Amino acid sequence: MSRIYLPWNASKARLREAENARKNRAEIVRELSWGRVSRRDLIKMGLFTAGGMLAPIGGLNPFVKSVYGQMPTGMPPSPTFGCQSFSQPLPRFDVLKRNPVTGATADTLVSCLDPMPTAMANQTMQAVNPALGGGFGPIEGRPPGAIWAHQRFNEFLPRVAVEAYQAPATTNYTYNPQVASKYNSGINQADGMPLRFHSGMPIQNPNSVWTFNGTIPPKLVIGRYGEPILFRHHNRLPADQQQNGGFGRHTISTHEHNGHHGAENDGFTGAFFFPGQFYDYHWPIVLAGHFSFNQTPTDVFMARTPNDAGGTDPIPGDWRETMSTHWFHDHMFSFTSQNVYKGNAAMFNIYSGIDRGAEDINDGVNLQLPSGNSRFTGKSWGNLDYDVNLLLADKAFDRDGQLFFDIFDFDGFIGDVMTVNLAYDPYFEVEPRKYRFRILNASVSRFFKIALADANGNAQPIIQIANDGNLLPVPVTLLELDEQGIAERYDIVIDFSKYSMGTKLHLVNLCDHFNALDAKLDGKKPFQDLTMAQALGGATPDPCVGRILEFRIVRPLSYTDNSQVPATLIPNPDLSTVPLARTRVFEFKRDAAQTTSDPVSSFMGPWGIATDDGITLAADYGRVSAAPKFGTREIWTLRNGGGGWDHPIHIHFEEGQVLARNGSAANVPAWEKGRKDVYRLRPAGDITITMQFRDWGGMFMEHCHNTVHEDNAMLLRWEIDDGGTPFLRPLPTPIPSPQGVTFRSPDDILPTAL
Amino acid sequence: MPMNTLGISGSTVRAAAASIAAAWLVIAALYSTPVAADNARWGADYFPNVTLTTHEGQTVHFYDDLIKGKIVALDLIYTTCKYACPLETARLAQVQRVLGDRVGRDIFFYSITIDPDHDTPQVLKEYAEKYRVGPGWLFLTGSAKDIDLISKKLGLYSEPDRAANPDGHTPFVLIGNEATGQWMRNSALDNPRFLATTIGEWLDSWKTAKKPAPVALHADDAVLKLDPGEYAYASHCAACHTVGRGDGIGPDLRGVTALREREWLTRFISTPDRVLAEGDPIAQALLAKYKGVRMPNLSLSRMDASLIIDYLAKQDGEGAAKPAAASASAPANMPGPPVDLKVMIDAYLRIQQALNADSTDDVMNNARIIATESAKIGSRASAVRSAINPFAQVKDVAGAREAFGKLSDAIIEHARAVDAALGDDINIAYCPMAKKYWLQKGTTIRNPYYGKQMSDCGRIVADAAIQN
């Protein structure tokens, strides 16, 4: 892959020269885009190739930006210290320890957690670091009181406790991939693993990367249905907010995406906690419809969770809502992207009777997807041998090779160094059989489009089995996956059995973010999707396009491959029995005009609800006057009003089904026919989904991904009034401080307007 | 000239020595400079230092004079804006009032015009006066190129789309602390108290917050009952209007639903710019009367306007202007369940006994217990909560005694307010030298302020009248 940018240690004079050249180049493309000069002219001038691409003239550097150039903020290219691609093994995820919790009531819980978890936030006081204002403050950062208590704590008593510490970068001495070294490309887990992206790159300073336990590889939580988890997250970040390596905020709030639980455990953006505190997140792990769904005998047979004896136990709810692959990450208001980029991201595999992680068990429920053989491993669920989590993230470094982020790039930050599981361009050793990969896009703005290439650059089939962590109704075989937006998870199966020993294949990214018109990497949306030939041939200067992960067939099978990819996976929930209450249209725009003749300025924010008189309103509490009714479903059309952006919209709390794209069901591709929670709007597109409202009748979080919260003090909750009608009720907003949480009502009117 | 064995002249050697010495000085200087904060990258090397002119006609440099070392809130406006700018400026004016005299002292507000051709310093001055802007808030103009550069570097830039959105700007306010390198983009239209808390306290991790940090905790908070019309009014109208408290930036809305026809009101609320453009006489008269401050078009629909009109009508119907719906912060002496102060007072007594013995043994631990108990009680114990905070950083007996006086007052007052018994054989005592009160067991004086030096100094008082 050609890289037409300057080496990282280029002299100042060279950089200056390059900056001038880049400025000239930018002027050229600008003139071209405005039609003041034609392509023919440019070719004649030797500035364009015949193919229409900007010629790679020496000294032209697309990434070195001048302060006075057209680009808002500038960064030089990230140094890669001469590290070669595919020269280090892919480190598999580090599994967080599951500790048992016993006890029959909330008051008699026994676990390793100290203090014991409580339904309401623990308000025991401790001294607060003077850097945070001194005095005393509570040990748990969760807002106090009944509203923020774990809902139904007594019904869903935690049975597993997982603890983690958000901490500055350090070496990992307790790496547990929960697989033998051969399944981990020969990595010896007993070796200490310092935090760096490649053994040839500098070790990251403590405040360059902040992550779970301060270590790599990224962390994995293993869970199963019917076994509630209490996740205790300690904040061990520096108390002095200045010590942050130039980006990131030491207050955090952890969102488990897309758990079906109340907002007190959802990581509300305003319920953040401080260094020195912890926050208990209670993840009940229940099927949607837990309280409301009437199970037929078939449902009873299928709605199961694996037990330790190799069998299954029944669970309530609709088995068609089984979820498999989640992730959790920071959700701190105004700092989410900085903190997630800095390392606050992890994954969560959820096992069920259908998807139990044991490919040999054939009990009429288990789909036998690639995972591991329980007779060889001794584990009847949750085998990871052939079930691999992949975290894709683009990064950037400063001149010293330390992680860097442009905090003023509110349009979207695109990095120029590709990492998989936070390792730079790694390789992964495989056996000639089926593997499952759970691919998460953990970038902050970059979209990916994944394909598989053999040694000759020919696309190889990939079977997509899940979208947003939900198994599809039927698997879909593709030569390239759909564009994958931030937070989307695609589970795929690759069958390596037809390749001979020693073969190498590559996972390839086809999604190009280099905006040739602006001559820079563009965070607003992908610029184009390339063909395999273009991506492998270096058609774009985007360094994260092309080969990103190498597979090497290195050894024969450890045991026979009993795994399957059945013809049907999980059928969609049957909607015909759920009454349709209403339809709504939500329109997203940045600052473009709306459909009426009155121009609208952007403060209306991303959410708008179209009404009968055709005017788009901002969605806020005052307008959602008719609440979704419990036990019904609604059809929402999400429309992207502004062509300049591609929005992945994430709706918390419930999975929805895609009914139509741009008005027609025929436009819904096969891999989107399942349940999703992140919906790509695509520039100027619209998508129609159906969603149900049930169970945790609790908080509906007003959610906003990358952009500014208009009403970030707004938290709403579904309630039922005396007449049985659900309505939206606003709650006092928590205002956390190190000395404790106060509450404020969102309509707080000042006594005088003057 | 003397030559050494190497044939190098002495003067050359001296010159060489001098330059080496100089080099060492430079190197020493480099190594002795303090390690910069992690976020020094967002400083002089990042922000442009272009020249701007304030609304008072002063010339300033953007980085050196406006940003360096300061906590700032910055937005982009233009004075002829028909959309969000009026509300944006009115909102920030509210935030300024909440922050009080901190604006101009350690917090600085800046509004930069994106229409410098029209918005001269004089124009900006008039605009600022219309919105009753206080000191410490500068309105700035300059060359279009420089302003574009600033807005791009700050991430506030928005590409104008000639057809759809000619003004091309967004109602964001950039809040930042240059010294710590923390910058965030918020909405200028948000709840003003929330913005004030963010700018004044959160941004600097409570280091520059008002001391002592008053924290009213809520062990339990009730859900709110918000009227949609009231909420719509509060978030869109209250920045410029009042109901019955006189004119603000815009007219007092008391009685407006009786004065104007509903249809006119509906149109004026949802599309005021169109109403004005049509030459409507009422709209024109209002514009003249309110000094050219335009009613902004906030994309409210007819349904929204209806909600607001109904809300206003209701206010009139209920007589005089009512204060807003009860906010969630409860006053300190709200009646509540009976309070048992035993745990708190036992911990207090242990501190008293320690201080009486000139020791700080276990003071911290007992203070922690008092903090926990007062948190459980909630907002009614907020005075105790404030008083206990200094104990977290207490280092010696003198410091503990200093804080102990206020703590004693707070507990005595709290017990009185909630009508709780202090406990068996617990008495209030007074030290005439320290002029402070305390609680103790029994009637034998054990003075915590003077300890062993004068343990019996003081007297029991029957009823402490706390003197401040």
Side-chain angles (χ1 to χ4, degrees):
Chain A
M1 163 179 15
S2 71
R3 291 170 187 251
I4 51 169
Y5 53 82
L6 292 175
W8 67 276
N9 54 359
S11 70
K12 273 211 169 43
R14 185 100 166 84
L15 281 175
R16 246 198 315 274
E17 180 188 74
E19 283 170 17
N20 284 332
R22 191 222 55 79
K23 208 164 44 114
N24 295 335
R25 186 171 188 263
E27 273 184 55
I28 293 169
V29 294
R30 191 182 61 223
E31 298 303 306
L32 177 66
S33 67
W34 286 2
R36 292 201 203 135
V37 71
S38 75
R39 273 184 196 268
R40 187 189 300 274
D41 295 335
L42 291 171
I43 292 173
K44 276 200 259 177
M45 286 190 248
L47 294 168
F48 259 48
T49 66
M53 300 299 301
L54 286 160
I57 298 173
L60 281 179
N61 183 333
F63 302 119
V64 176
K65 289 157 191 138
S66 148
V67 165
Y68 300 101
Q70 223 185 350
M71 279 8 99
T73 56
M75 319 173 353
S78 300
T80 50
F81 300 89
C83 293
Q84 300 299 309
S85 294
F86 318 123
S87 58
Q88 68 169 340
L90 173 82
R92 296 194 50 177
F93 270 60
D94 187 4
V95 181
L96 287 176
K97 191 158 186 304
R98 289 160 49 92
N99 302 294
V101 180
T102 54
T105 65
D107 300 323
T108 57
L109 290 177
V110 177
S111 82
C112 62
L113 294 176
D114 178 26
M116 221 39 74
T118 49
M120 287 207 266
N122 190 329
Q123 292 294 290
T124 307
M125 293 286 151
Q126 62 180 355
V128 175
N129 192 313
L132 291 169
F136 289 98
I139 57 175
E140 182 171 5
R142 186 161 45 118
I147 297 175
W148 289 86
H150 299 307
Q151 289 182 44
R152 302 187 191 252
F153 193 61
N154 294 305
E155 286 172 62
F156 298 106
L157 287 178
R159 299 291 82 173
V160 169
V162 178
E163 257 188 306
Y165 304 81
Q166 198 64 216
T170 185
T171 301
N172 192 345
Y173 293 108
T174 55
Y175 177 26
N176 176 17
Q178 224 165 272
V179 293
S181 170
K182 67 175 173 179
Y183 295 118
N184 199 2
S185 305
I187 294 175
N188 180 358
Q189 70 185 75
D191 291 340
M193 193 179 281
L195 209 157
R196 53 188 172 192
F197 296 94
H198 190 285
S199 54
M201 291 181 178
I203 295 182
Q204 295 295 309
N205 294 334
N207 288 328
S208 295
V209 174
W210 288 347
T211 185
F212 292 90
N213 300 347
T215 59
I216 51 165
K219 301 296 173 279
L220 177 62
V221 172
I222 305 278
R224 59 183 159 175
Y225 275 96
E227 192 178 53
I229 291 181
L230 196 300
F231 178 69
R232 177 164 290 183
H233 195 182
H234 297 265
N235 185 338
R236 295 239 177 116
L237 298 175
D240 180 0
Q241 64 170 49
Q242 261 184 276
Q243 303 304 318
N244 72 344
F247 64 98
R249 173 94 191 169
H250 61 179
T251 50
I252 55 179
S253 173
T254 306
H255 169 49
E256 198 276 288
H257 179 137
N258 190 33
H260 193 64
H261 44 232
E264 67 283 350
N265 297 304
D266 196 34
F268 175 55
T269 194
F272 50 87
F273 58 111
F274 292 84
Q277 294 182 325
F278 66 87
Y279 193 124
D280 277 352
Y281 293 93
H282 177 225
W283 300 336
I285 318 184
V286 294
L287 289 173
H290 178 98
F291 300 109
S292 49
F293 186 75
N294 290 321
Q295 292 177 323
T296 66
T298 316
D299 297 330
V300 169
F301 182 73
M302 295 300 293
R304 317 294 278 186
T305 185
N307 60 32
D308 293 328
T312 59
D313 294 332
I315 47 174
D318 187 358
W319 63 278
R320 298 172 198 82
E321 297 277 8
T322 301
M323 303 190 280
S324 298
T325 306
H326 280 193
W327 69 304
F328 53 99
H329 60 93
D330 187 55
H331 215 294
M332 176 66 205
F333 89 86
S334 288
F335 284 87
T336 297
S337 55
Q338 290 183 37
N339 285 351
V340 174
Y341 176 85
K342 210 171 171 78
N344 193 328
M347 288 187 78
F348 181 20
N349 287 3
I350 304 178
Y351 293 93
S352 53
I354 299 177
D355 190 12
R356 73 181 290 150
E359 61 196 29
D360 56 312
I361 296 183
N362 183 1
D363 57 1
V365 178
N366 186 24
L367 292 171
Q368 297 181 263
L369 294 167
S371 43
N373 189 316
S374 68
R375 277 177 284 123
F376 290 91
T377 64
K379 278 172 41 168
S380 68
W381 69 278
N383 286 293
L384 296 173
D385 294 355
Y386 301 102
D387 180 355
V388 184
N389 292 70
L390 297 179
L391 186 147
L392 306 183
D394 55 338
K395 301 293 182 198
F397 305 137
D398 66 12
R399 297 183 53 136
D400 302 318
Q402 296 297 311
L403 193 63
F404 174 83
F405 187 84
D406 184 346
I407 64 174
F408 288 102
D409 198 345
F410 295 110
D411 279 350
F413 180 77
I414 298 287
D416 59 351
V417 179
M418 188 61 209
T419 68
V420 184
N421 295 5
L422 297 182
Y424 169 68
D425 278 5
Y427 66 82
F428 183 58
E429 292 176 348
V430 296
E431 297 172 6
R433 54 157 282 161
K434 296 192 280 303
Y435 276 74
R436 174 180 185 170
F437 295 99
R438 307 187 191 222
I439 306 179
L440 164 69
N441 179 350
S443 302
V444 292
S445 307
R446 183 185 276 274
F447 291 78
F448 291 100
K449 192 182 215 306
I450 299 298
L452 180 66
D454 68 5
N456 297 322
N458 298 319
Q460 303 298 297
I462 300 175
I463 309 172
Q464 182 164 357
I465 57 170
N467 196 327
D468 279 344
N470 302 315
L471 290 169
L472 295 169
V474 297
V476 185
T477 302
L478 300 162
L479 289 180
E480 53 188 58
L481 300 181
D482 193 8
E483 271 181 6
Q484 188 171 357
I486 299 90
E488 281 187 301
R489 292 130 282 145
Y490 290 164
D491 287 26
I492 62 173
V493 170
I494 299 180
D495 189 351
F496 294 106
S497 61
K498 63 180 195 179
Y499 305 105
S500 56
M501 210 57 51
T503 308
K504 289 185 185 170
L505 299 111
H506 292 90
L507 219 53
V508 178
N509 175 25
L510 304 174
C511 190
D512 181 12
H513 270 269
F514 181 73
N515 186 328
L517 302 175
D518 291 339
K520 71 172 196 122
L521 292 174
D522 187 347
K524 293 200 285 289
K525 62 175 164 80
F527 185 66
Q528 59 183 342
D529 290 333
L530 301 174
T531 65
M532 180 76 87
Q534 286 174 325
L536 297 178
T540 171
D542 184 345
C544 296
V545 163
R547 299 182 182 87
I548 60 174
L549 174 66
E550 179 170 282
F551 296 113
R552 300 177 180 176
I553 324 277
V554 297
R555 61 173 179 271
L557 297 177
S558 297
Y559 44 78
T560 315
D561 182 4
N562 283 121
S563 71
Q564 318 264 335
V565 182
T568 59
L569 299 171
I570 301 186
N572 282 332
D574 183 3
L575 303 173
S576 58
T577 57
V578 184
L580 174 62
R582 73 188 311 111
T583 59
R584 299 182 202 255
V585 177
F586 288 80
E587 188 144 1
F588 283 73
K589 23 171 148 290
R590 188 164 172 252
D591 43 15
Q594 58 178 31
T595 51
T596 71
S597 53
D598 291 330
V600 182
S601 43
S602 69
F603 84 92
M604 288 285 98
W607 287 88
I609 306 181
T611 59
D612 300 329
D613 56 7
I615 300 180
T616 301
L617 320 170
D620 68 22
Y621 161 68
R623 292 202 181 86
V624 188
S625 47
K629 292 181 173 12
F630 282 129
T632 67
R633 65 187 177 99
E634 294 203 354
I635 292 183
W636 292 4
T637 297
L638 312 178
R639 180 168 296 146
N640 188 345
W645 288 68
D646 190 347
H647 295 282
I649 306 304
H650 171 44
I651 298 177
H652 284 220
F653 182 72
E654 266 278 357
E655 307 297 286
Q657 291 179 45
V658 182
L659 298 181
R661 276 203 175 271
N662 296 341
S664 163
N667 291 333
V668 178
W671 57 85
E672 277 194 341
K673 287 201 190 301
R675 295 155 291 131
K676 285 185 63 64
D677 60 63
V678 179
Y679 307 96
R680 292 284 309 289
L681 284 200
R682 301 177 192 279
D686 68 61
I687 181 171
T688 303
I689 61 174
T690 177
M691 301 239 317
Q692 298 188 60
F693 295 89
R694 52 187 167 177
D695 292 332
W696 296 96
M699 311 217 192
F700 165 69
M701 183 159 118
E702 180 156 317
H703 182 271
C704 205
H705 246 300
N706 182 21
T707 58
V708 174
H709 293 265
E710 287 307 328
D711 268 300
N712 53 13
M714 187 43 100
L715 181 61
L716 308 168
R717 184 167 85 175
W718 297 122
E719 300 221 336
I720 305 189
D721 69 10
D722 299 331
T725 313
F727 62 97
L728 261 188
R729 161 163 273 159
L731 295 170
T733 304
I735 313 281
S737 83
Q739 289 76 25
V741 180
T742 56
F743 293 89
R744 181 147 290 151
S745 71
D747 79 327
D748 200 1
I749 303 178
L750 293 180
T752 57
L754 303 182
Chain B
M1 192 163 312
M3 298 271 225
N4 58 26
T5 49
L6 290 174
I8 301 170
S9 73
S11 62
T12 313
V13 172
R14 274 196 295 282
S19 63
I20 289 172
W24 271 115
L25 277 174
V26 170
I27 292 170
L30 281 175
Y31 278 111
S32 66
T33 45
V35 174
D38 282 354
N39 32 48
R41 61 177 100 234
W42 309 112
D45 289 341
Y46 182 77
F47 294 102
N49 205 19
V50 298
T51 316
L52 297 172
T53 312
T54 73
H55 66 286
E56 315 254 291
Q58 266 189 310
T59 308
V60 292
H61 289 94
F62 183 67
Y63 176 71
D64 286 337
D65 299 322
L66 301 184
I67 304 289
K68 183 169 170 184
K70 296 181 163 62
I71 294 177
V72 306
L74 191 153
D75 72 335
L76 302 179
I77 51 122
Y78 64 105
T79 62
T80 52
C81 176
K82 298 198 287 256
Y83 315 113
C85 299
L87 181 55
E88 207 176 318
T89 305
R91 267 278 195 251
L92 285 179
Q94 287 180 302
V95 177
Q96 178 176 38
R97 280 189 287 280
V98 175
L99 288 170
D101 60 2
R102 288 191 64 189
V103 181
R105 200 180 62 219
D106 55 332
I107 297 175
F108 299 86
F109 280 22
Y110 306 119
S111 292
I112 305 183
T113 177
I114 57 169
D115 186 11
D117 288 337
H118 179 274
D119 293 340
T120 63
Q122 182 58 28
V123 169
L124 288 174
K125 192 168 159 73
E126 284 164 12
Y127 182 84
E129 275 161 12
K130 277 193 275 213
Y131 287 89
R132 328 240 178 146
V133 156
W137 185 349
L138 295 177
F139 285 73
L140 300 148
T141 182
S143 83
K145 188 156 153 291
D146 288 344
I147 291 174
D148 263 3
L149 174 65
I150 290 175
S151 69
K152 282 172 182 163
K153 288 298 260 187
L154 297 178
L156 293 175
Y157 184 78
S158 176
E159 194 69 50
D161 177 346
R162 265 149 255 283
N165 181 19
D167 62 4
H169 91 102
T170 49
F172 296 132
V173 59
L174 188 75
I175 300 172
N177 183 338
E178 194 269 344
T180 63
Q182 300 250 304
W183 293 88
M184 53 193 289
R185 202 172 68 166
N186 259 33
S187 166
L189 307 175
D190 205 343
N191 181 313
R193 273 204 235 276
F194 188 86
L195 276 178
T197 305
T198 304
I199 299 172
E201 292 166 30
W202 183 90
L203 193 60
D204 206 22
S205 287
W206 283 262
K207 288 205 277 258
T208 45
K210 290 194 282 276
K211 293 259 187 313
V215 177
L217 295 179
H218 298 262
D220 204 355
D221 242 282
V223 292
L224 307 168
K225 284 178 165 34
L226 276 194
D227 176 55
E230 176 179 10
Y231 180 73
Y233 171 81
S235 45
H236 296 93
C237 320
C240 300
H241 295 279
T242 74
V243 182
R245 288 181 199 253
D247 286 352
I249 296 164
D252 186 332
L253 296 177
R254 177 111 181 275
V256 72
T257 55
L259 180 62
R260 310 273 179 226
E261 283 180 16
R262 193 181 177 100
E263 176 55 28
W264 184 91
L265 264 183
T266 307
R267 287 194 67 224
F268 195 62
I269 289 174
S270 41
T271 55
D273 50 335
R274 211 172 346 159
V275 171
L276 185 66
E278 287 165 1
D280 180 275
I282 306 175
Q284 287 179 332
L286 285 171
L287 186 67
K289 179 170 180 201
Y290 291 93
K291 304 197 200 150
V293 173
R294 291 167 179 273
M295 168 91 162
N297 181 332
L298 302 173
S299 315
L300 295 168
S301 75
R302 298 182 61 88
M303 197 168 91
D304 293 316
S306 239
L307 281 173
I308 291 173
I309 294 170
D310 289 340
Y311 168 75
L312 291 172
K314 214 166 33 158
Q315 301 307 101
D316 293 338
E318 285 165 15
K322 284 172 67 105
S327 80
S329 49
N333 37 10
M334 207 172 64
V339 174
D340 178 5
L341 297 176
K342 184 169 192 319
V343 176
M344 185 190 288
I345 291 191
D346 281 349
Y348 169 91
L349 290 172
R350 288 194 287 273
I351 299 180
Q352 179 250 338
Q353 282 148 22
L355 291 180
N356 179 244
D358 292 333
S359 133
T360 53
D361 277 353
D362 238 16
V363 163
M364 171 71 134
N365 202 27
N366 287 309
R368 213 179 42 77
I369 294 173
I370 295 175
T372 306
E373 289 301 304
S374 52
K376 281 192 204 154
I377 295 169
S379 57
R380 286 179 291 157
S382 55
V384 177
R385 189 76 181 73
S386 297
I388 200 66
N389 274 338
F391 278 89
Q393 269 77 40
V394 129
K395 292 189 183 20
D396 55 16
V397 179
R401 284 177 172 153
E402 174 70 41
F404 190 70
K406 295 198 183 65
L407 177 64
S408 305
D409 290 348
I411 290 187
I412 295 169
E413 185 55 40
H414 175 70
R416 181 170 300 137
V418 300
D419 208 16
L422 292 172
D424 287 338
D425 201 25
I426 309 270
N427 298 299
I428 304 177
Y430 179 70
C431 171
M433 294 195 55
K435 295 197 176 33
K436 292 185 192 165
Y437 293 87
W438 78 93
L439 293 168
Q440 61 162 56
K441 225 171 165 50
T443 52
T444 312
I445 295 292
R446 288 187 187 81
N447 188 318
Y449 300 109
Y450 284 94
K452 294 189 202 146
Q453 188 191 5
M454 245 194 292
S455 176
D456 55 359
C457 169
R459 62 176 189 277
I460 302 289
V461 296
D463 183 17
I466 309 281
Q467 273 125 33
N468 286 322

